[in-house]
Amino acid sequence: MIASLLRRLADWLDPPRVVSGPALDPKPFLVRVRVLVSAWEAKLGAGFGEAKCHNVYAQLLKEYPTARKRDLRYAIERVLQEL
């Protein structure tokens, strides 16, 4: 119950944007996140999780300025959990 209320509040504060075209496919987006995480992994090495997250998040904000911030953070966490 609380989770659904928080989700509705988050959608109210940051409403979903109508996106058309290839941006609807999440796979290219996740591929880009994997590439960025791999690049920072190679640069910083194992560990440094917060630094990698911050740098990947900053790059994604530049590349996808209209994306919802929580979607970007979720994609980063998904990719990091795969490692």
Side-chain angles (χ1 to χ4, degrees):
M1 169 108 177
I2 293 175
S4 66
L5 290 173
L6 290 175
R7 190 176 311 116
R8 286 194 308 184
L9 176 64
D11 286 337
W12 181 72
L13 292 173
D14 189 15
R17 291 167 180 79
V18 177
V19 181
S20 61
L24 288 175
D25 186 17
K27 290 184 182 185
F29 181 72
L30 287 176
V31 169
R32 181 64 182 145
V33 173
R34 284 187 189 103
V35 168
L36 289 173
V37 168
S38 297
W40 282 103
E41 182 83 21
K43 186 180 276 190
L44 296 177
F48 300 103
E50 286 297 317
K52 282 187 279 192
C53 287
H54 175 73
N55 292 325
V56 170
Y57 183 66
Q59 184 65 34
L60 289 174
L61 283 175
K62 290 177 187 173
E63 293 179 15
Y64 302 97
T66 59
R68 293 186 342 183
K69 292 177 179 143
R70 67 181 180 166
D71 292 339
L72 297 176
R73 289 189 298 268
Y74 178 69
I76 293 169
E77 287 301 320
R78 264 182 70 182
V79 170
L80 289 176
Q81 292 297 321
E82 293 173 0
L83 296 177

